Amino acid sequence: MKQVDTEILNKTMYGVVESLIAGPIPGRVRVMGATWAARLCIPDSRYILAPGTPVIIFGRRGNELLVLTTRGLTEVTP
């Protein structure tokens, strides 16, 4: 499997979650009118980002954006 480098963005970008991002499972975010695959930059399966949640885009890994919410994280308890 080919390793994909992570790129940290020099410029702060903001977006909104379009489809659920759940821990290590990617979802989609809308950024500047386009939707992108996105993953939570904290690889912890306890957290989710629901649709409508505002996010900051920190970087990208391949074609996936790495995001973190501008609000608090929602923790999922088993």
Side-chain angles (χ1 to χ4, degrees), residues 16-21 27-31 34-36 50-53:
V16 176
V17 175
E18 290 278 309
S19 66
L20 183 73
I21 300 172
R28 295 198 69 84
V29 295
R30 181 168 296 279
V31 181
T35 62
W36 291 81
T53 303

Side-chain angles (χ1 to χ4, degrees), residues 9-62:
L9 301 179
N10 294 327
K11 176 179 150 184
T12 302
M13 297 179 69
Y14 297 92
V16 176
V17 175
E18 290 278 309
S19 66
L20 183 73
I21 300 172
I25 302 168
R28 295 198 69 84
V29 295
R30 181 168 296 279
V31 181
M32 297 178 6
T35 62
W36 291 81
R39 182 181 297 275
L40 189 58
C41 68
I42 301 171
D44 191 325
S45 61
R46 296 179 299 164
Y47 301 110
I48 63 169
L49 298 178
T53 303
V55 293
I56 297 173
I57 293 90
F58 282 100
R60 70 179 181 88
R61 185 175 300 133

